[in-house]
Amino acid sequence: MKKFLVFIFIIICAFTCNAQKSNTSQDSIKVFYDELFSIMENEYLFKNNVNWKEIEPKIRKNLGEYTDFNSSLEEVTNLFNLLNADHSKVYYNQNTYSGNFETPTQKDFSEQWVKKYSTEPNFEVKVLDSEYGYILMPGMMFEDVSSKNIHKLSQLMYDEIYNVKSSKNIKGWIIDLRFNTGGNITPMLLALYDFLGDNDVWGVLDFNKKKVTNVKLSNGKYINNSKKSSYIKPNGMLLDEAKVAIITNLATGSSGEVTALAFKGRKNVIFIGEKTNGKTTTNTFANLPFGAYMALTVGYDCDRNGNFYEQIAPDITVSKQDNFENLLQDRNIQEAIEFISRGE
Protein backbone atom coordinates (compact mmCIF):
# COMPACT_ATOMS: atom_id res chain seq x y z
CA MET A 1 0.00 0.00 0.00
CA LYS A 2 2.87 2.33 0.88
CA LYS A 3 4.48 1.78 -2.53
CA PHE A 4 1.18 2.54 -4.25
CA LEU A 5 0.75 5.80 -2.31
CA VAL A 6 4.32 6.85 -3.13
CA PHE A 7 3.67 6.11 -6.81
CA ILE A 8 0.48 8.22 -6.77
CA PHE A 9 2.37 11.03 -5.01
CA ILE A 10 5.08 11.03 -7.68
CA ILE A 11 2.49 11.21 -10.46
CA ILE A 12 0.68 14.12 -8.76
CA CYS A 13 3.97 15.99 -8.26
CA ALA A 14 4.97 15.48 -11.88
CA PHE A 15 1.57 16.68 -13.08
CA THR A 16 1.69 19.70 -10.77
CA CYS A 17 5.23 20.62 -11.87
CA ASN A 18 4.32 20.35 -15.54
CA ALA A 19 1.18 22.42 -14.96
CA GLN A 20 3.20 25.07 -13.13
CA LYS A 21 5.81 25.07 -15.90
CA SER A 22 3.06 25.46 -18.52
CA ASN A 23 1.44 28.28 -16.55
CA THR A 24 4.79 29.99 -16.10
CA SER A 25 5.52 29.72 -19.82
CA GLN A 26 2.11 31.10 -20.77
CA ASP A 27 2.54 33.88 -18.22
CA SER A 28 5.88 34.82 -19.80
CA ILE A 29 4.37 34.70 -23.27
CA LYS A 30 1.51 36.95 -22.18
CA VAL A 31 3.82 39.48 -20.50
CA PHE A 32 6.05 39.64 -23.57
CA TYR A 33 3.32 39.97 -26.18
CA ASP A 34 1.30 42.42 -24.06
CA GLU A 35 4.28 44.76 -24.20
CA LEU A 36 5.00 44.06 -27.87
CA PHE A 37 1.43 44.83 -28.89
CA SER A 38 1.36 47.95 -26.70
CA ILE A 39 4.50 49.34 -28.32
CA MET A 40 3.39 48.58 -31.88
CA GLU A 41 -0.16 49.86 -31.42
CA ASN A 42 1.20 53.16 -30.10
CA GLU A 43 4.40 53.74 -32.08
CA TYR A 44 4.49 51.69 -35.29
CA LEU A 45 4.54 54.03 -38.29
CA PHE A 46 1.62 52.31 -40.03
CA LYS A 47 -0.43 51.60 -36.89
CA ASN A 48 -3.48 53.40 -38.28
CA ASN A 49 -3.54 51.09 -41.31
CA VAL A 50 -3.78 47.98 -39.14
CA ASN A 51 -6.99 46.20 -38.13
CA TRP A 52 -5.81 45.45 -34.60
CA LYS A 53 -9.20 43.98 -33.59
CA GLU A 54 -8.71 41.28 -36.19
CA ILE A 55 -4.96 40.68 -35.99
CA GLU A 56 -4.38 40.66 -32.23
CA PRO A 57 -6.96 37.93 -31.39
CA LYS A 58 -5.53 35.82 -34.23
CA ILE A 59 -2.01 36.05 -32.80
CA ARG A 60 -3.26 35.50 -29.22
CA LYS A 61 -5.02 32.31 -30.30
CA ASN A 62 -1.83 31.04 -31.95
CA LEU A 63 0.17 31.83 -28.83
CA GLY A 64 -2.01 29.50 -26.80
CA GLU A 65 -0.49 26.57 -28.69
CA TYR A 66 3.09 27.24 -27.53
CA THR A 67 4.48 25.35 -24.54
CA ASP A 68 7.51 27.53 -23.90
CA PHE A 69 8.51 31.16 -24.30
CA ASN A 70 11.43 30.64 -26.70
CA SER A 71 9.35 28.81 -29.28
CA SER A 72 6.58 31.43 -28.99
CA LEU A 73 8.94 33.99 -30.52
CA GLU A 74 8.32 32.28 -33.86
CA GLU A 75 4.96 34.06 -33.76
CA VAL A 76 6.79 37.39 -34.17
CA THR A 77 7.36 36.41 -37.80
CA ASN A 78 3.64 35.82 -38.33
CA LEU A 79 2.78 39.12 -36.64
CA PHE A 80 5.24 41.13 -38.72
CA ASN A 81 3.95 39.46 -41.88
CA LEU A 82 0.38 40.50 -41.04
CA LEU A 83 1.52 44.06 -40.25
CA ASN A 84 3.72 44.27 -43.35
CA ALA A 85 6.49 45.32 -40.95
CA ASP A 86 9.33 44.58 -43.34
CA HIS A 87 11.89 46.74 -41.55
CA SER A 88 11.16 45.74 -37.94
CA LYS A 89 13.00 43.04 -35.97
CA VAL A 90 13.00 41.49 -32.51
CA TYR A 91 16.30 40.50 -30.88
CA TYR A 92 16.55 37.96 -28.05
CA ASN A 93 19.48 35.83 -26.84
CA GLN A 94 21.51 36.53 -29.99
CA ASN A 95 18.59 35.45 -32.20
CA THR A 96 16.76 37.73 -34.61
CA TYR A 97 13.07 37.43 -35.48
CA SER A 98 11.58 39.22 -38.48
CA GLY A 99 8.91 38.82 -41.13
CA ASN A 100 9.24 36.75 -44.28
CA PHE A 101 9.67 39.33 -47.02
CA GLU A 102 11.33 39.13 -50.39
CA THR A 103 15.01 40.01 -50.20
CA PRO A 104 17.78 40.08 -52.81
CA THR A 105 19.52 36.77 -53.50
CA GLN A 106 22.96 35.94 -54.85
CA LYS A 107 21.62 35.98 -58.42
CA ASP A 108 20.98 39.71 -58.02
CA PHE A 109 24.70 40.37 -57.65
CA SER A 110 27.90 39.76 -59.54
CA GLU A 111 30.24 36.91 -58.61
CA GLN A 112 32.80 39.50 -57.55
CA TRP A 113 30.34 41.11 -55.14
CA VAL A 114 29.27 37.76 -53.64
CA LYS A 115 32.91 36.75 -53.17
CA LYS A 116 33.80 40.03 -51.46
CA TYR A 117 30.63 40.01 -49.33
CA SER A 118 31.51 36.55 -47.98
CA THR A 119 34.66 38.05 -46.41
CA GLU A 120 32.54 40.50 -44.33
CA PRO A 121 34.31 43.63 -45.62
CA ASN A 122 35.52 46.19 -43.12
CA PHE A 123 35.86 49.95 -43.43
CA GLU A 124 38.80 50.90 -45.62
CA VAL A 125 40.39 53.96 -47.18
CA LYS A 126 42.88 53.92 -50.02
CA VAL A 127 44.12 55.93 -52.98
CA LEU A 128 43.36 54.78 -56.53
CA ASP A 129 45.65 55.65 -59.40
CA SER A 130 47.50 58.14 -57.14
CA GLU A 131 44.67 60.69 -57.48
CA TYR A 132 41.31 59.39 -56.25
CA GLY A 133 40.31 58.75 -52.67
CA TYR A 134 38.33 55.55 -52.15
CA ILE A 135 36.26 54.83 -49.03
CA LEU A 136 34.46 51.55 -48.46
CA MET A 137 31.77 52.21 -45.83
CA PRO A 138 30.17 48.90 -44.75
CA GLY A 139 27.18 48.31 -42.47
CA MET A 140 27.83 48.72 -38.75
CA MET A 141 26.01 46.66 -36.15
CA PHE A 142 27.26 46.79 -32.55
CA GLU A 143 25.70 46.59 -29.08
CA ASP A 144 27.48 49.42 -27.25
CA VAL A 145 25.70 52.50 -28.59
CA SER A 146 27.05 54.85 -25.92
CA SER A 147 28.30 58.25 -27.07
CA LYS A 148 31.79 57.29 -25.91
CA ASN A 149 31.94 54.12 -27.99
CA ILE A 150 30.45 55.78 -31.08
CA HIS A 151 33.00 58.59 -30.76
CA LYS A 152 35.82 56.04 -30.58
CA LEU A 153 34.65 54.15 -33.68
CA SER A 154 33.92 57.34 -35.63
CA GLN A 155 37.23 58.98 -34.79
CA LEU A 156 39.23 55.96 -35.95
CA MET A 157 37.50 56.04 -39.36
CA TYR A 158 37.66 59.83 -39.62
CA ASP A 159 41.40 59.79 -38.87
CA GLU A 160 42.02 57.23 -41.63
CA ILE A 161 40.29 59.54 -44.09
CA TYR A 162 42.22 62.52 -42.75
CA ASN A 163 45.55 60.73 -43.23
CA VAL A 164 44.75 60.29 -46.93
CA LYS A 165 43.33 63.78 -47.49
CA SER A 166 46.31 65.45 -45.80
CA SER A 167 49.08 63.44 -47.43
CA LYS A 168 47.89 63.09 -51.02
CA ASN A 169 46.80 65.40 -53.81
CA ILE A 170 43.31 63.94 -54.17
CA LYS A 171 41.20 65.15 -57.09
CA GLY A 172 37.96 63.64 -55.81
CA TRP A 173 36.45 60.94 -53.65
CA ILE A 174 34.53 57.70 -54.17
CA ILE A 175 32.31 56.46 -51.33
CA ASP A 176 31.36 52.81 -51.84
CA LEU A 177 28.13 51.72 -50.12
CA ARG A 178 27.69 48.42 -51.97
CA PHE A 179 28.17 46.43 -48.73
CA ASN A 180 26.35 48.82 -46.42
CA THR A 181 23.30 46.81 -45.39
CA GLY A 182 22.56 49.04 -42.40
CA GLY A 183 23.25 49.40 -38.71
CA ASN A 184 24.08 52.50 -36.70
CA ILE A 185 24.05 55.62 -38.86
CA THR A 186 25.88 57.93 -36.42
CA PRO A 187 29.48 56.68 -36.87
CA MET A 188 29.00 56.49 -40.65
CA LEU A 189 28.09 60.16 -40.98
CA LEU A 190 30.58 61.35 -38.36
CA ALA A 191 33.38 59.58 -40.24
CA LEU A 192 32.23 61.36 -43.41
CA TYR A 193 31.91 64.74 -41.69
CA ASP A 194 34.48 66.48 -43.90
CA PHE A 195 32.42 65.71 -47.02
CA LEU A 196 29.11 66.85 -45.50
CA GLY A 197 30.30 69.87 -43.55
CA ASP A 198 28.26 71.96 -41.14
CA ASN A 199 24.81 71.27 -42.57
CA ASP A 200 21.51 69.55 -42.06
CA VAL A 201 22.10 66.05 -43.42
CA TRP A 202 18.87 64.08 -43.01
CA GLY A 203 15.65 63.86 -41.05
CA VAL A 204 12.54 61.88 -40.19
CA LEU A 205 8.99 62.38 -41.44
CA ASP A 206 5.88 61.16 -39.64
CA PHE A 207 3.01 59.21 -41.23
CA ASN A 208 1.70 62.42 -42.85
CA LYS A 209 5.16 63.18 -44.28
CA LYS A 210 5.63 66.07 -41.86
CA LYS A 211 9.20 66.55 -40.66
CA VAL A 212 9.52 65.67 -36.97
CA THR A 213 13.27 65.09 -36.65
CA ASN A 214 16.19 67.03 -38.05
CA VAL A 215 19.77 65.76 -37.96
CA LYS A 216 22.72 68.00 -38.63
CA LEU A 217 26.48 68.02 -38.32
CA SER A 218 28.19 70.98 -36.69
CA ASN A 219 31.92 71.25 -35.98
CA GLY A 220 32.19 67.47 -35.80
CA LYS A 221 29.12 66.99 -33.62
CA TYR A 222 26.16 64.79 -34.59
CA ILE A 223 23.04 66.69 -33.49
CA ASN A 224 19.59 65.09 -33.46
CA ASN A 225 16.84 67.65 -32.82
CA SER A 226 19.26 69.96 -30.98
CA LYS A 227 20.67 67.07 -28.88
CA LYS A 228 24.29 66.00 -29.40
CA SER A 229 24.54 62.23 -29.56
CA SER A 230 28.26 61.88 -30.33
CA TYR A 231 31.14 63.64 -32.07
CA ILE A 232 34.53 63.53 -33.73
CA LYS A 233 37.40 65.99 -33.43
CA PRO A 234 37.75 67.49 -36.93
CA ASN A 235 41.14 68.13 -38.44
CA GLY A 236 42.08 70.24 -41.44
CA MET A 237 39.91 71.81 -44.10
CA LEU A 238 36.45 70.60 -44.98
CA LEU A 239 35.83 68.76 -48.23
CA ASP A 240 32.18 69.76 -48.51
CA GLU A 241 32.66 71.10 -52.04
CA ALA A 242 34.98 68.37 -53.28
CA LYS A 243 33.70 66.07 -56.02
CA VAL A 244 32.17 62.92 -54.55
CA ALA A 245 30.79 59.81 -56.27
CA ILE A 246 28.44 57.60 -54.24
CA ILE A 247 28.17 53.94 -55.34
CA THR A 248 25.08 51.93 -54.36
CA ASN A 249 23.38 48.64 -55.21
CA LEU A 250 20.49 46.45 -54.03
CA ALA A 251 22.36 45.57 -50.83
CA THR A 252 22.57 49.23 -49.80
CA GLY A 253 19.82 49.39 -47.20
CA SER A 254 18.52 51.12 -44.10
CA SER A 255 21.28 53.35 -42.67
CA GLY A 256 23.29 52.61 -45.81
CA GLU A 257 20.52 54.40 -47.67
CA VAL A 258 20.54 57.23 -45.12
CA THR A 259 24.27 57.62 -45.74
CA ALA A 260 23.52 58.01 -49.45
CA LEU A 261 20.62 60.43 -49.01
CA ALA A 262 22.73 62.56 -46.66
CA PHE A 263 24.53 63.61 -49.86
CA LYS A 264 21.29 64.56 -51.62
CA GLY A 265 21.22 68.33 -52.05
CA ARG A 266 24.99 68.60 -51.79
CA LYS A 267 26.97 70.20 -54.62
CA ASN A 268 29.40 68.19 -56.75
CA VAL A 269 27.99 64.74 -56.04
CA ILE A 270 26.88 61.93 -58.36
CA PHE A 271 25.15 58.60 -57.64
CA ILE A 272 26.38 55.56 -59.54
CA GLY A 273 25.34 51.89 -59.59
CA GLU A 274 21.90 50.44 -58.89
CA LYS A 275 18.77 51.36 -56.96
CA THR A 276 19.05 50.80 -53.22
CA ASN A 277 17.20 48.18 -51.18
CA GLY A 278 14.19 50.28 -50.24
CA LYS A 279 14.41 50.25 -46.43
CA THR A 280 14.13 54.03 -46.26
CA THR A 281 12.14 54.08 -43.03
CA THR A 282 13.47 55.07 -39.65
CA ASN A 283 13.78 52.54 -36.85
CA THR A 284 14.05 53.21 -33.14
CA PHE A 285 15.04 50.68 -30.50
CA ALA A 286 12.46 49.67 -27.90
CA ASN A 287 13.07 47.48 -24.87
CA LEU A 288 10.95 44.36 -24.40
CA PRO A 289 10.60 42.02 -21.39
CA PHE A 290 13.28 39.47 -20.46
CA GLY A 291 16.16 41.40 -22.04
CA ALA A 292 14.70 41.37 -25.54
CA TYR A 293 14.52 44.49 -27.66
CA MET A 294 13.23 45.47 -31.05
CA ALA A 295 13.95 47.70 -34.00
CA LEU A 296 10.62 49.43 -34.59
CA THR A 297 9.71 51.43 -37.69
CA VAL A 298 8.50 54.87 -36.60
CA GLY A 299 9.04 57.24 -39.55
CA TYR A 300 10.17 57.92 -43.11
CA ASP A 301 13.78 58.87 -43.83
CA CYS A 302 14.21 62.14 -45.69
CA ASP A 303 17.08 64.20 -47.09
CA ARG A 304 18.18 67.62 -45.83
CA ASN A 305 15.36 69.24 -47.79
CA GLY A 306 12.62 66.97 -46.47
CA ASN A 307 12.37 64.73 -49.55
CA PHE A 308 11.48 61.04 -49.12
CA TYR A 309 12.73 58.33 -51.50
CA GLU A 310 11.31 54.80 -51.61
CA GLN A 311 14.64 53.83 -53.17
CA ILE A 312 17.63 55.96 -54.06
CA ALA A 313 18.12 55.75 -57.80
CA PRO A 314 21.53 56.30 -59.45
CA ASP A 315 22.30 59.09 -61.88
CA ILE A 316 24.35 56.57 -63.87
CA THR A 317 23.21 52.95 -63.85
CA VAL A 318 25.84 50.23 -63.65
CA SER A 319 24.77 46.66 -62.97
CA LYS A 320 26.90 43.62 -62.07
CA GLN A 321 30.12 45.12 -63.41
CA ASP A 322 31.99 45.01 -60.11
CA ASN A 323 35.68 44.24 -59.82
CA PHE A 324 36.96 44.24 -56.26
CA GLU A 325 40.21 42.51 -57.18
CA ASN A 326 41.17 45.45 -59.40
CA LEU A 327 39.05 48.50 -58.58
CA LEU A 328 40.32 50.41 -61.60
CA GLN A 329 38.61 47.73 -63.75
CA ASP A 330 35.34 48.18 -61.84
CA ARG A 331 32.82 49.93 -64.10
CA ASN A 332 31.34 51.88 -61.16
CA ILE A 333 34.78 53.20 -60.27
CA GLN A 334 35.49 54.05 -63.90
CA GLU A 335 32.30 56.13 -64.08
CA ALA A 336 33.23 57.82 -60.81
CA ILE A 337 36.70 58.73 -62.09
CA GLU A 338 35.20 60.09 -65.30
CA PHE A 339 32.88 62.32 -63.25
CA ILE A 340 35.68 63.53 -61.01
CA SER A 341 37.97 64.25 -63.98
CA ARG A 342 35.30 66.07 -65.95
CA GLY A 343 35.89 69.80 -66.37
CA GLU A 344 39.54 69.77 -65.30
Side-chain angles (χ1 to χ4, degrees), residues 1-28:
M1 184 69 177
K2 272 186 177 180
K3 288 183 179 180
F4 177 75
L5 289 174
V6 169
F7 177 70
I8 293 296
F9 178 75
I10 291 172
I11 291 176
I12 291 172
C13 285
F15 177 80
T16 302
C17 288
N18 284 335
Q20 288 176 341
K21 182 179 179 181
S22 177
N23 287 338
T24 301
S25 295
Q26 279 298 317
D27 288 345
S28 298

Side-chain angles (χ1 to χ4, degrees), residues 235-249:
N235 203 343
M237 294 180 61
L238 289 174
L239 300 169
D240 52 340
E241 293 188 3
K243 285 190 172 183
V244 172
I246 306 290
I247 303 177
T248 63
N249 66 359

Side-chain angles (χ1 to χ4, degrees), residues 200-205 211 213-215 257-258 260-266 271 300-309 312:
D200 293 346
V201 287
W202 73 287
V204 179
L205 309 175
K211 198 170 188 180
T213 300
N214 188 64
V215 178
E257 289 171 290
V258 174
L261 68 81
F263 285 84
K264 288 286 188 180
R266 179 193 184 277
F271 295 82
Y300 296 101
D301 300 329
C302 69
D303 68 15
R304 64 185 69 190
N305 297 315
N307 299 311
F308 167 72
Y309 309 82
I312 299 170

Side-chain angles (χ1 to χ4, degrees), residues 188-242:
M188 300 178 196
L189 295 190
L190 282 174
L192 298 173
Y193 166 69
D194 280 351
F195 304 102
L196 294 165
D198 298 320
N199 289 295
D200 293 346
V201 287
W202 73 287
V204 179
L205 309 175
D206 64 14
F207 182 75
N208 298 309
K209 302 289 178 68
K210 179 183 177 182
K211 198 170 188 180
V212 291
T213 300
N214 188 64
V215 178
K216 68 178 181 179
L217 298 175
S218 178
N219 194 31
K221 297 184 287 291
Y222 187 97
I223 301 172
N224 186 322
N225 274 359
S226 302
K227 183 180 178 181
K228 185 185 84 170
S229 61
S230 195
Y231 68 100
I232 50 95
K233 294 180 180 179
N235 203 343
M237 294 180 61
L238 289 174
L239 300 169
D240 52 340
E241 293 188 3

Side-chain angles (χ1 to χ4, degrees), residues 130-155:
S130 304
E131 296 180 315
Y132 309 101
Y134 173 82
I135 301 168
L136 191 153
M137 181 66 73
M140 296 182 187
M141 291 290 292
F142 50 90
E143 291 188 4
D144 184 355
V145 294
S146 65
S147 177
K148 181 179 179 181
N149 188 53
I150 289 175
H151 164 67
K152 180 181 177 181
L153 295 172
S154 307
Q155 192 71 53

